[in-house]
Amino acid sequence: KAAMRYLKTVVAFLIVVIPRASAVCPNLCSGHGSCDNESTCSCDSGWGAAPDCSRRECAAAISWGTKPFAASTGHEEVECAGIGICDHLVGTCLCPE
């Protein structure tokens, strides 16, 4: 009886652990995130670009170059305030002179 209980416990453990151990994310999240059970990366702060956390994020700020999206709501936040271009290799905005 004890051996059968032990065997059931081991089987139940393996049923739970093996699917989690087999999750493989694209490019292993580039070393900048964690891989969940569905093989999806959850990127660390400052890293983004699905699906593999391979690009740096640039700061977002309110864009004054876009139209307000509601009568009572101002402009949306966009990368580099919608003025510059993000250098995703280093995570800095390149702004026009």
Side-chain angles (χ1 to χ4, degrees):
K1 253 184 170 174
M4 186 56 108
R5 253 183 292 159
Y6 175 77
L7 182 60
K8 286 180 180 179
T9 302
V10 169
V11 169
F13 175 78
L14 292 175
I15 288 171
V16 170
V17 170
I18 288 176
R20 292 173 192 222
S22 65
V24 178
C25 283
N27 201 23
L28 300 175
C29 302
S30 303
H32 303 292
S34 56
C35 187
D36 68 14
N37 297 355
E38 284 97 36
S39 298
T40 302
C41 291
S42 176
C43 300
D44 295 335
S45 178
W47 292 90
D52 67 354
C53 305
S54 62
R55 294 170 33 169
R56 296 292 310 230
E57 292 180 334
C58 285
I62 294 174
S63 170
W64 295 101
T66 59
K67 294 180 181 180
F69 48 90
S72 62
T73 307
H75 303 272
E76 62 186 331
E77 280 196 1
V78 296
E79 191 173 70
C80 299
I83 299 170
I85 298 171
C86 181
D87 179 347
H88 290 285
L89 294 176
V90 293
T92 57
C93 294
L94 305 172
C95 298
E97 293 182 21

